Amino acid sequence: MTGHLKSAVAESYRRLSQLGLNIGSAGNVSARDGDRVLITRTGATDAIDADGVVEIDLDGAYEGDLAPSSEWEMHTAIYRAAPRAAAVVHTHSDACTALACLGEGLPPFHYMVLGFGGPDVRCAPYFTFGTPALAAAAAEAIQDRTACLLANHGMICHGRSLEAAVATALRLETLARQYLMARAVAPPKLLSPEQVAEAQERFKAYGQPKAGRRIA
């Protein structure tokens, strides 16, 4: 199982590069396996394979010559904050990073923002990369959400699977780009609290099968 999951983590990291969400050695990917975490190595590139994925515990202990990503603590903090998360994706994607460099989160300019778990996507304050302070800030900002921005840095998200986490990263990048495009023209009109509440109700059944009607 561990070997298969390592391959899947590496494949997901390569997928982020193919989607244009990471360039070079930016970002990192992990998957949880019980009380262990499989995370991309420090300095990973889009040529990574299973051998470049490091197994750690939730305190960051590992064996072998390869060190885990410098952001391992941010990943494990999010697994603690979101126990149902099975995978975490961190990127420096363009639109998310641009918005994060403004120190802003993503407001409810579009109903799809609610798909991350609340009426907005928060932006964690800036802390130096790879530090416990950044890990704590990210875990707080992502509470009750599946994603958050990281000021002057990028974004991080989690999902029930690696595929879901990558899809969440792509969806957030798309919405951040659309928000910045709209804001370049004029201040976007945000959804009202009433519109947010109505959309949240609709989201409860989003993607669920509906009972069909019998056709005589």
Side-chain angles (χ1 to χ4, degrees), residues 31-208:
R32 187 168 186 170
D33 185 14
D35 59 355
R36 310 289 291 177
V37 172
L38 304 176
I39 188 168
T40 48
R41 60 166 293 178
T42 184
T45 70
D46 58 9
I48 191 172
D49 58 18
D51 292 335
V53 177
V54 182
E55 182 177 350
I56 64 173
D57 65 19
L58 292 175
D59 294 318
Y62 66 96
E63 297 179 354
D65 297 329
L66 288 183
S69 166
S70 61
E71 300 292 12
W72 69 264
E73 197 160 2
M74 185 162 58
H75 285 245
T76 58
I78 287 176
Y79 287 123
R80 290 188 174 99
R84 299 173 72 182
V88 171
V89 165
H90 166 49
T91 79
H92 297 175
S93 53
D94 291 345
C96 286
T97 301
L99 187 56
C101 287
L102 297 174
E104 299 180 19
L106 188 64
F109 80 105
H110 191 289
Y111 73 88
M112 287 298 290
V113 172
L114 309 181
F116 299 100
D120 60 4
V121 175
R122 307 181 189 102
C123 183
Y126 176 78
F127 290 98
T128 304
F129 74 94
T131 60
L134 176 59
E140 181 177 354
I142 211 169
Q143 281 287 345
D144 303 317
R145 305 286 193 273
T146 57
C148 71
L149 300 178
L150 307 168
N152 305 93
H153 189 153
M155 61 75 67
I156 194 162
C157 67
H158 63 78
R160 299 282 189 88
S161 66
L162 284 161
E163 294 82 0
V166 170
T168 296
L170 180 59
R171 188 168 73 254
L172 182 59
E173 173 67 7
T174 300
L175 285 162
R177 183 175 67 251
Q178 292 168 344
Y179 174 67
L180 291 171
M181 290 172 65
R183 206 168 83 173
V185 177
K189 182 178 180 180
L190 304 184
L191 299 181
S192 69
E194 294 76 19
Q195 290 169 327
V196 166
E198 183 178 355
Q200 285 176 321
E201 282 299 311
R202 295 284 291 176
F203 258 108
K204 291 179 181 178
Y206 185 76
Q208 300 299 316

Side-chain angles (χ1 to χ4, degrees), residues 20-37:
L21 300 181
N22 271 334
I23 297 175
S25 60
N28 27 76
V29 174
S30 71
R32 187 168 186 170
D33 185 14
D35 59 355
R36 310 289 291 177
V37 172

